[in-house]
Amino acid sequence: MPILNKDMTLCISLAARPSNIGTRFHNYLYDQLGLNYVYKAFAPADLAQAIAGVRGLPIRGAAVSMPYKEEVIALVDRMDPSAKAIDSVNTIVNDDGVLTAYNTDYLAIARLLRDHRVPATHSVLLRGSGGMAKAVAAALRDAGFTRVTIAARNEAAGRALADLYGFAWQGDPGTSTADLLINVTPLGMSGRDEETQSFSDDAVAAAKTVFDVVALPSETPLIKAARAAGTPVITGAEVIAIQAEEQFVLYTGVRPTPEQVREASEFSRA
């Protein structure tokens, strides 16, 4: 990383549980590409004040993580179609005090479903109803998936998400299963829920693919259970690499090579 200087451009992340994954990813690429940027993670005590700081300092970009992806909408100036279509934000770009919101989660999910060749004929059980769940649900719909059930304890949010995309809703996943299981909740994330497996062992064994968007740790209890059962997996580490790559391009205007992205992703998890 270059020595801090007055001309350095600052980018940040805002998360309830900050990790070093994005920090290491972005700073690795800044160094590799010789860019005078630095990236820092924050856990905001007050989201509105944090966004005011982005605007006023000025900070070039801000990644937005759970649980702020919807709350931040009222604090930006413009909504890119990628964010407006699903009313969820994961990236803010500051152009001379004008804040534009984007969502690169959607692109990451769509690419991973395609790259892992998950058939659109699969039945899907999606656990969660927050901002990331909207990105996943939209990607599923646009990829042609129709047999999708949203499992969410918050009935109002769960039903609203299901109705928005023409899917079914149920409460707790219980003993339900599907060809594709997707966890879009904090269950398994480092912290108070890190030992919690979001779907049962029986559901994991019956599934054809297990997808956990939790990136820290990349080997969540759900992913470990799927590997033990011999069920193919898609991990949160894959999600964060793709969405971070797109954020990097929005912040810098520079597109790293696939090899550079792979190296940055490996470095971020080391």
Side-chain angles (χ1 to χ4, degrees), residues 93-252:
V93 176
N94 182 3
D95 292 300
D96 298 322
V98 177
L99 305 185
T100 302
Y102 299 81
N103 193 302
T104 64
D105 290 330
Y106 170 91
L107 177 61
I109 301 300
R111 189 191 302 183
L112 287 168
L113 291 171
R114 181 178 66 250
D115 290 352
H116 285 267
R117 299 182 180 179
V118 182
T121 54
H122 273 5
S123 58
V124 183
L125 187 58
L126 169 61
R127 183 168 190 175
S129 59
M132 185 64 171
K134 286 184 179 180
V136 175
L140 289 168
R141 179 202 59 190
D142 293 346
F145 289 82
T146 58
R147 300 164 58 206
V148 179
T149 299
I150 307 296
R153 290 180 299 175
N154 185 324
E155 181 173 354
R159 284 190 182 277
L161 180 60
D163 291 345
L164 182 62
Y165 295 106
F167 298 149
W169 169 84
Q170 68 180 61
D172 190 275
T175 59
S176 299
T177 189
D179 298 323
L180 173 60
L181 301 177
I182 308 179
N183 175 50
V184 199
T185 74
L187 297 178
M189 183 182 294
S190 293
R192 66 176 180 274
D193 299 314
E194 62 186 328
E195 301 299 326
T196 305
Q197 187 173 310
S198 50
F199 293 99
S200 69
D201 285 336
D202 289 343
V204 170
K208 295 178 181 177
T209 302
V210 168
F211 188 172
D212 197 340
V213 303
V214 171
L216 186 67
S218 59
E219 294 292 309
T220 63
L222 177 61
I223 293 297
K224 289 179 180 178
R227 293 196 194 281
T231 304
V233 301
I234 305 173
T235 70
E238 296 175 81
V239 176
I240 201 169
I242 295 173
Q243 65 89 11
E245 174 190 353
E246 297 304 320
Q247 288 178 333
F248 183 90
V249 175
L250 286 169
Y251 299 155
T252 68

Side-chain angles (χ1 to χ4, degrees), residues 20 85 166 237:
N20 281 324

Side-chain angles (χ1 to χ4, degrees), residues 26-50:
H26 285 270
N27 285 323
Y28 179 90
L29 288 176
Y30 297 154
D31 181 61
Q32 290 295 305
L33 294 167
L35 300 174
N36 193 24
Y37 279 67
V38 66
Y39 191 100
K40 179 75 171 66
F42 292 94
D46 185 301
L47 183 64
Q49 290 181 358

